[in-house]
Amino acid sequence: GAGVSQSPRYKVTKRGQDVALRCDPISGHVSLYWYRQALGQGPEFLTYFNYEAQQDKSGLPNDRFSAERPEGSISTLTIQRTEQRDSAMYRCASSDHALASSSYEQYFGPGTRLTVT
Amino acid sequence: GEDVEQSLFLSVREGDSSVINCTYTDSSSTYLYWYKQEPGAGLQLLTYIFSNMDMKQDQRLTVLLNKKDKHLSLRIADTQTGDSAIYFCAESRYNFNKFYFGSGTKLNVKP
């Protein structure tokens, strides 16, 4: 596709349920990032992948959060046993990190708005 | 995040210049970025500057970097109502992969 896509765009779930958020990066992009954005705040880094390898997961808040990118393309962020404090916009970004890229630009998707009731 | 700070609001009249400011704390910052967020949309990269530059101009946008004071600004010339949005300052550090964002400045352009 032309840009980064995410699904679903909106997700309402009950406390205690598991949710899976999907990110489809720009075709051919090597790196994929997950961010969480609370209302009135900037995006906060969660984790990132180069190809299928998870390089840094230091931003994941606790072990209820996990992410995978098994084939180096689409990624899923999973939140188990959701809590109300997990409510936020979850954003995905991708980057090509090609040798020709000198700025490591990250291209963001529209986000998934998660509401835990 | 607390490493990158921005003022929350800016209001200007159409046709005036807007200046959005950002301060950061980490001296290892390599690239600094300005992103624009419109309602219901993702973050759109507007421009970026490498840390060894002082200034970068791109059409109506001028980025100024004072590395000594760790201060970054974005000037929008001839501001239009379509420029109304939230503007985020972001920095990447030595590993390039983790971006640290400010809380965003909401720009309101009055006709």
Side-chain angles (χ1 to χ4, degrees):
Chain A
V4 178
S5 60
Q6 293 185 244
S7 61
R9 292 292 307 273
Y10 302 91
K11 176 71 178 176
V12 180
T13 190
K14 289 189 186 302
R15 184 165 55 92
Q17 296 293 306
D18 298 350
V19 295
L21 312 180
R22 173 184 164 128
C23 172
D24 201 338
I26 293 172
S27 178
H29 273 195
V30 167
S31 300
L32 184 147
Y33 310 82
W34 283 101
Y35 290 85
R36 178 168 69 175
Q37 186 175 9
L39 205 59
Q41 298 294 317
E44 180 185 10
F45 172 85
L46 294 177
T47 185
Y48 90 93
F49 296 81
N50 278 345
Y51 301 101
E52 73 281 356
Q54 192 170 19
Q55 299 290 332
D56 186 337
K57 54 181 182 178
S58 62
L60 295 176
N62 52 59
D63 60 8
R64 295 187 297 106
F65 287 73
S66 63
E68 62 175 10
R69 193 186 185 200
E71 295 177 3
S73 178
I74 292 167
S75 176
T76 302
L77 177 71
T78 301
I79 309 172
Q80 295 178 308
R81 306 180 302 281
T82 51
E83 300 177 7
Q84 285 187 320
R85 60 181 170 149
D86 299 333
S87 296
M89 177 74 83
Y90 288 83
R91 294 196 186 273
C92 173
S94 70
S95 174
D96 64 8
H97 278 211
L99 287 177
S101 169
S102 62
S103 68
Y104 299 90
E105 297 169 31
Q106 295 189 11
Y107 298 86
F108 282 80
T112 295
R113 169 75 65 191
L114 175 66
T115 303
V116 182
T117 61
Chain B
E2 55 206 38
D3 296 309
V4 182
E5 293 191 355
Q6 302 177 237
S7 52
L8 292 180
F9 300 102
L10 177 65
S11 185
V12 300
R13 292 211 172 274
E14 193 173 21
D16 288 351
S17 292
S18 307
V19 180
I20 302 172
N21 295 300
C22 170
T23 56
Y24 60 98
T25 57
D26 199 296
S27 56
S28 68
S29 295
T30 49
Y31 284 98
L32 295 121
Y33 308 79
W34 284 104
Y35 279 83
K36 178 182 181 182
Q37 181 179 332
E38 293 179 280
L43 280 77
Q44 173 197 355
L45 178 67
L46 287 179
T47 187
Y48 63 89
I49 189 167
F50 188 48
S51 57
N52 69 354
M53 297 169 63
D54 298 323
M55 186 184 87
K56 180 177 180 181
Q57 188 152 0
D58 184 359
Q59 299 182 338
R60 292 191 297 123
L61 305 179
T62 303
V63 179
L64 294 177
L65 175 61
N66 182 329
K67 196 169 181 182
K68 175 176 169 288
D69 294 338
K70 299 190 184 66
H71 182 267
L72 181 75
S73 67
L74 174 69
R75 179 176 180 271
I76 306 173
D78 186 26
T79 314
Q80 303 297 307
T81 54
D83 294 324
S84 292
I86 300 176
Y87 291 81
F88 290 96
C89 166
E91 56 163 343
S92 65
R93 298 177 186 169
Y94 60 91
N95 65 3
F96 302 111
N97 285 297
K98 290 172 76 166
F99 278 30
Y100 298 85
F101 285 83
S103 297
T105 299
K106 186 170 184 178
L107 175 64
N108 179 43
V109 183
K110 294 178 281 191

